[in-house]
């Protein structure tokens, strides 16, 4: 990962004890970085924003009063700290927001994809072929999820195992429930 962050990884390790959910949020958002590195980068980025806002407010207050006063520096420091906290919090919740957005995009097209699969399976098409058709259709992120399942099955994974992986990995609660129902149907021979 990023070697510049490597010098400050200890910050990320300490922050990871406080923000332990970050690891799961990064995983759900498919952000391929460790929680320690992400938190260290978020912290350093927030410090930079805080310093920029401190400098900007110091300059503005200097221009206003034509001198550096202790009260102006205190005000600038408080505002810099405020913007540090705001930007750090934004970066902490960003992976969670990405995961929720991805899940919402899945939920948007899931019903249509499932109806298509149901029609195909009801007319005698195999479940695998129905998943291939859904993966090639324009169902947005649902097609991407099923494309990953099809790739796993094509590379030798069993249908049940590939669908189980989908159920465990997906960000969408509806796709998760659907995957478990498909898995139950496959295992029961339906």
């Amino acid at each position: 990962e990023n070697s510049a962050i490597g010098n400050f990884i200890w910050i990320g390790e300490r922050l990871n004890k406080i923000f332990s959910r970050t690891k799961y949020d990064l995983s759900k958002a498919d952000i391929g970085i460790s929680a320690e590195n992400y938190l260290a980068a978020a912290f350093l980025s927030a410090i930079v924003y805080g310093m920029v806002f401190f400098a900007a407010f110091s300059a503005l207050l200097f221009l206003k009063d034509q001198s550096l006063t202790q009260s102006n520096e205190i005000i600038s420091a408080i505002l810099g700290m405020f913007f540090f906290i705001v930007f750090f919090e934004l970066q902490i919740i960003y992976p969670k927001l990405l995961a929720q957005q991805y899940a919402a995009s899945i939920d948007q097209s899931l019903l249509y994809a499932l109806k298509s699969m149901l029609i195909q399976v009801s007319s005698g098409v195999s479940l695998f072929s129905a998943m291939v058709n859904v993966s090639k259709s324009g169902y947005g992120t649902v097609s991407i999820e099923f494309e990953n399942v099809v790739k796993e099955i094509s590379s030798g994974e069993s249908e049940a195992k590939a669908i189980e992986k989908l159920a465990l990995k997906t960000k969408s609660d509806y796709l998760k429930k659907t995957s478990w129902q498909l898995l139950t149907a496959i295992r029961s021979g339906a």
Side-chain angles (χ1 to χ4, degrees):
E1 302 186 17
N2 194 343
S3 62
I5 298 300
N7 298 332
F8 301 98
I9 195 71
W10 60 273
I11 295 171
E13 290 169 350
R14 287 194 172 93
L15 288 172
N16 193 34
K17 292 176 183 172
I18 299 167
F19 300 101
S20 57
R21 286 272 328 144
T22 304
K23 172 175 53 175
Y24 304 108
D25 293 338
L26 288 169
S27 173
K28 286 185 174 186
D30 281 336
I31 299 174
I33 186 172
S34 71
E36 292 83 8
N37 280 357
Y38 183 83
L39 289 168
F43 184 80
L44 293 174
S45 174
I47 283 179
V48 169
Y49 280 114
M51 289 171 34
V52 166
F53 279 99
F54 168 77
F57 286 118
S58 292
L60 287 173
L61 292 172
F62 175 78
L63 291 174
K64 177 185 154 252
D65 295 340
Q66 295 298 312
S67 69
L68 285 174
T69 64
Q70 186 176 6
S71 64
N72 285 352
E73 291 304 307
I74 291 172
I75 290 170
S76 297
I78 290 170
L79 290 170
M81 184 60 96
F82 171 76
F83 281 101
F84 162 78
I85 292 168
V86 166
F87 281 100
F88 185 67
E89 284 296 319
L90 285 173
Q91 292 173 6
I92 294 297
I93 64 172
Y94 181 69
K96 185 176 185 174
L97 293 175
L98 274 181
Q100 289 172 345
Q101 184 180 18
Y102 192 78
S105 68
I106 288 173
D107 295 344
Q108 211 170 32
S109 302
L110 183 61
L111 183 61
Y112 302 110
L114 291 177
K115 282 183 180 179
S116 172
M117 284 178 64
L118 177 64
I119 291 168
Q120 292 177 53
V121 170
S122 297
S123 64
V125 174
S126 69
L127 178 61
F128 176 73
S129 296
M131 287 190 290
V132 168
N133 291 336
V134 166
S135 73
K136 292 180 179 178
S137 300
Y139 295 114
T141 49
V142 175
S143 293
I144 294 169
E145 293 288 338
F146 277 102
E147 183 179 351
N148 293 334
V149 171
V150 167
K151 284 179 184 175
E152 287 187 20
I153 295 170
S154 297
S155 67
E157 195 79 66
S158 70
E159 278 185 3
K161 189 67 176 170
I163 292 173
E164 183 178 356
K165 283 182 181 179
L166 173 65
L168 294 171
K169 164 185 135 2
T170 188
K171 295 108 184 122
S172 165
D173 289 334
Y174 296 119
L175 183 55
K176 188 179 295 288
K177 290 175 187 175
T178 301
S179 300
W180 286 119
Q181 289 171 348
L182 275 172
L183 190 58
T184 302
I186 289 170
R187 288 184 176 157
S188 68

